[in-house]
Amino acid sequence: MGKDPLPDEEIARRLAQLPGWVREGDMITRTFEMRYHGSVALIVNVADVERLVGHHADIDLRWDHVRFAITTHDAGHRLTAADFDLAARIDRIAAAHQTQLHNS
């Protein structure tokens, strides 16, 4: 997956295809509402996929939600196609875990 930084127009286009994800500077984030142990299971499944694709999110686990933040560190902490690919993969895994969008 491409690791070249994307222009703002391309970032906006790709973000529009990923409901629930928001841009925060040079990263995209999404928070899912679920109980702690369900979040741990989600994180384990996401980590397995991250290892396979060689790209990782920053993960913040709380008792009632889990937040994923993605940027490409080796592209100068900029957004790349790899970030959006990982976000889509996280969405598919989260759907299998029956998560809900967090109201934070």
Side-chain angles (χ1 to χ4, degrees):
M1 188 61 45
K3 299 257 181 157
D4 294 324
L6 297 172
D8 286 337
E9 300 79 25
E10 181 65 14
I11 291 169
R13 186 186 71 75
R14 289 178 185 241
L15 203 52
Q17 297 172 355
L18 293 169
W21 288 89
V22 296
R23 184 176 184 181
E24 295 182 16
D26 284 324
M27 66 181 160
I28 55 174
T29 68
R30 185 167 182 187
T31 303
F32 297 95
E33 183 176 311
M34 59 189 322
R35 292 187 175 190
Y36 184 84
H37 290 92
S39 292
V40 170
L42 172 63
I43 290 168
V44 168
N45 289 159
V46 168
D48 285 342
V49 169
E50 290 175 330
R51 181 180 51 81
L52 292 173
V53 299
H55 196 53
H56 301 84
D58 292 329
I59 302 170
D60 180 23
L61 173 63
R62 303 300 168 121
W63 72 271
D64 67 342
H65 67 274
V66 60
R67 178 180 179 266
F68 295 91
I70 309 171
T71 190
T72 301
H73 301 286
D74 57 356
H77 297 273
R78 303 277 310 275
L79 289 166
T80 69
D83 301 315
F84 292 93
D85 175 66
L86 181 56
R89 289 172 188 266
I90 291 171
D91 280 351
R92 289 191 293 274
I93 296 167
H97 283 263
Q98 300 177 341
T99 62
Q100 298 177 8
L101 185 59
H102 187 67
N103 296 327
S104 58

